[in-house]
Amino acid sequence: MGTDSILVRGNHTLAGEVKISGAKNSALKLMAASILGCGQSIIENVPDISDIRLMSEVLERLGAKVQREDHRLKIDTSSLDSFSTPYELVSKMRASISVLGPLIGRFGQAKVAMPGGCQIGARKIDMHLVGLEALGVKFAVDHGTLIATTPDGLKGAAVTLEFPSVGATENMLMAAVVAPGRTIIENAAREPEIVDLCNMLCAMGAKIEGAGSMNIEVLGVPLEELGPCTHTTVGDRIEAGTFLAGGAITGGPVTVQGIDPDYLRMSLMKLDAMGCQVSCGDDYITVSRTGDLRAADIQTLPHPGFPTDLQAQFMLMASLADGVSLITENVFENRFMFASELLRMGADITLEDHHAVVRGVDHLQGAPVSSTDLRAGAALVLAGIVADGYTTVYEVQHIDRGYEDYVGKLRSLGADVVRQSAACGR
Ligand code: EPZ
């Protein structure tokens, strides 16, 4: 294993308070949205994670200047002069596809390498393309690069998404804001990160109504009416949910600070159903548990349904619960690899298509395991904290993509976790 790993000593409890970072799945799109405003935008509460560094590189390749000061990003797009993103960057991070809409909005064209799939699924972009074509975009594919043009210009349109795709909704929004006329996106994604993006676009001068609902309406404005802005990223609900799951599994109490509890309503309902005590304030959530964990059925769905990005963390909880849980993954076609790693730690899980039958066991055993995606990796560290003995989690670069100082935050809650550099060969 040529990558860093995390060594975890088991039988520990997580208790205390942790500050949640800004949302990865919002900040990346806010950075892309800055393309639409010529000048310097400032984005606050940006997490210090590898995906953000990659998106900064994408923007710099386009000609923008990106400066990080602690958790603040200053993005000056005055000198942005390219509408083409190279394969080697897009292949490292699928979310680079989020520059497609704003590049079309700013230049009327774009050349973006087609993103590949990843461990959790094919991650197609057909809905992005159908939605943008409705706005007047023409696409061609040339040796793996998507060529977008608008020979007759953009125009507002009514589009119904086949599935409330987060990425497709975002790309459509960032083109529609400068498409003359009215655009209606039906069956739009309703995630809090969509609302955050719409709030920033409106601060830049866009006219958007219905953010967070199934139907979003955009009144296009001329590009020159959009300008830079200052915007603060919302808290990361998935990072928060990850630490809450840690508190639920070990007993807590764990408080996550800097998150709107409304973003996690379904997850909090499941924590309660599984025997936890949950209390909330305006910007914090506390979870603890005194009795046994109880089994619960979970099915992942687009927001406000149960988030797929917390499926692994709650599968871990179910693997230690009293009873049998049925977990159904409806969003991605291959997001049960975490189960295979958990089986190595003594869990009792049967996979059947997109269902996982999880029979609770008394305890897990520490073991060497490997991260398959960032959420599974984060959950494996939590599994090690509660297991008997030592666990080594390999391929932690996945975790670095979406969790700022995960080891440091867990240590502040009492975990005995240490990052081991591959360079030391330990
Ligand atoms: C975003 O991915 C998030 N990533 C994902 O988080 C998250 O799991 C997902 O939304 C769902 O909430 C970022 O925001 C960077 P989708 P996205 O378009 O936009 C299929 C994490 O761990 N689909 O809603 O790619 C797609 O294959 C990551 O932080 C098409 O078939 O999600 C998937 O099965 C993982 N065609 C489903 O829809 C399309 O054109 C949901 O995709 C678009 C999507």
Side-chain angles (χ1 to χ4, degrees):
M1 306 268 181
T3 62
D4 286 6
S5 58
I6 294 176
L7 177 64
V8 190
R9 190 152 70 96
N11 299 111
H12 272 64
T13 291
L14 296 179
E17 178 164 322
V18 65
K19 173 78 174 69
I20 294 303
S21 299
K24 160 179 94 80
N25 292 347
S26 180
L28 290 169
K29 299 26 164 341
L30 302 176
M31 292 171 74
S34 70
I35 292 170
L36 289 162
C38 186
Q40 179 175 277
S41 285
I42 295 175
I43 306 175
E44 304 281 6
N45 199 27
V46 176
D48 186 7
I49 54 178
S50 57
D51 270 11
I52 294 294
R53 290 191 283 277
L54 266 173
M55 183 57 92
S56 301
E57 216 180 313
V58 169
L59 294 180
E60 285 167 341
R61 282 290 190 89
L62 294 168
K65 292 186 180 60
V66 184
Q67 210 182 334
R68 174 181 273 278
E69 293 165 359
D70 191 22
H71 290 98
R72 170 183 300 131
L73 276 193
K74 291 181 175 176
I75 304 173
D76 186 344
T77 66
S78 316
S79 50
L80 195 136
D81 55 5
S82 165
F83 49 77
S84 174
T85 59
Y87 174 71
E88 74 268 15
L89 280 181
V90 176
S91 62
K92 283 183 197 164
M93 180 182 64
R94 297 191 66 270
S96 317
I97 193 69
S98 301
V99 302
L100 178 64
L103 286 176
I104 293 169
R106 178 151 175 171
F107 295 106
Q109 58 183 325
K111 285 185 183 172
V112 179
M114 293 282 280
C118 70
Q119 291 270 25
I120 63 177
R123 311 296 296 273
K124 297 190 309 182
I125 60 168
D126 54 312
M127 287 187 259
H128 298 235
L129 306 185
V130 167
L132 290 168
E133 282 167 347
L135 301 180
V137 182
K138 304 292 181 212
F139 288 105
V141 178
D142 176 25
H143 296 89
T145 296
L146 196 61
I147 316 280
T149 55
T150 51
D152 307 319
L154 286 171
K155 62 187 184 318
V159 185
T160 302
L161 287 176
E162 201 176 322
F163 176 91
S165 155
V166 170
T169 302
E170 291 161 342
N171 261 327
M172 286 191 63
L173 279 167
M174 292 191 277
V177 291
V178 291
R182 193 173 291 278
T183 294
I184 295 172
I185 306 174
E186 278 191 327
N187 199 22
R190 299 164 59 186
E191 277 70 5
E193 294 76 29
I194 298 283
V195 178
D196 202 26
L197 173 62
C198 289
N199 288 340
M200 177 171 169
L201 289 168
C202 289
M204 295 174 74
K207 293 184 175 14
I208 303 173
E209 286 181 4
S213 77
M214 292 179 73
N215 299 317
I216 302 178
E217 210 166 314
V218 182
L219 186 60
V221 299
L223 176 65
E224 47 278 3
E225 284 187 20
L226 295 185
C229 76
T230 296
H231 181 83
T232 299
T233 314
V234 293
D236 192 319
R237 61 193 167 98
I238 304 302
E239 183 195 22
T242 303
F243 285 109
L244 290 173
I249 292 162
T250 63
V254 166
T255 297
V256 291
Q257 211 284 324
I259 185 69
D260 180 345
D262 275 351
Y263 293 172
L264 283 164
R265 263 204 297 271
M266 184 60 74
S267 308
L268 300 185
M269 280 168 58
K270 288 297 175 184
L271 284 172
D272 178 66
M274 296 180 82
C276 300
Q277 291 74 48
V278 178
S279 59
C280 303
D282 290 344
D283 65 348
Y284 72 85
I285 305 165
T286 300
V287 68
S288 61
R289 178 174 60 82
T290 46
D292 290 344
L293 272 171
R294 293 195 295 263
D297 293 345
I298 290 173
Q299 56 168 330
T300 68
L301 286 166
H303 194 78
F306 187 89
T308 173
D309 294 346
L310 288 178
Q311 182 248 99
Q313 300 89 323
F314 276 66
M315 181 182 282
L316 170 59
M317 285 172 57
S319 70
L320 290 164
D322 183 13
V324 182
S325 304
L326 176 65
I327 298 181
T328 306
E329 172 55 58
N330 294 307
V331 178
F332 289 102
E333 65 267 31
N334 185 33
R335 203 169 195 177
F336 281 146
M337 292 84 61
F338 169 73
S340 322
E341 295 300 305
L342 211 51
L343 286 168
R344 295 170 42 70
M345 299 178 74
D348 179 351
I349 303 171
T350 307
L351 299 179
E352 187 65 47
D353 190 20
H354 66 154
H355 299 291
V357 178
V358 185
R359 293 176 180 80
V361 295
D362 290 339
H363 65 278
L364 295 173
Q365 300 156 11
V369 289
S370 198
S371 297
T372 51
D373 69 88
L374 71 158
R375 309 305 175 186
L380 285 169
V381 177
L382 296 181
I385 290 168
V386 75
D388 295 341
Y390 282 89
T391 295
T392 301
V393 180
Y394 291 97
E395 307 296 321
V396 297
Q397 72 277 9
H398 291 292
I399 300 175
D400 296 338
R401 289 189 46 212
Y403 288 87
E404 178 178 344
D405 190 20
Y406 192 49
V407 166
K409 290 181 178 180
L410 286 170
R411 291 175 68 85
S412 74
L413 293 173
D416 181 350
V417 289
V418 175
R419 187 180 185 109
Q420 302 178 117
S421 160
C424 305
R426 276 182 296 161

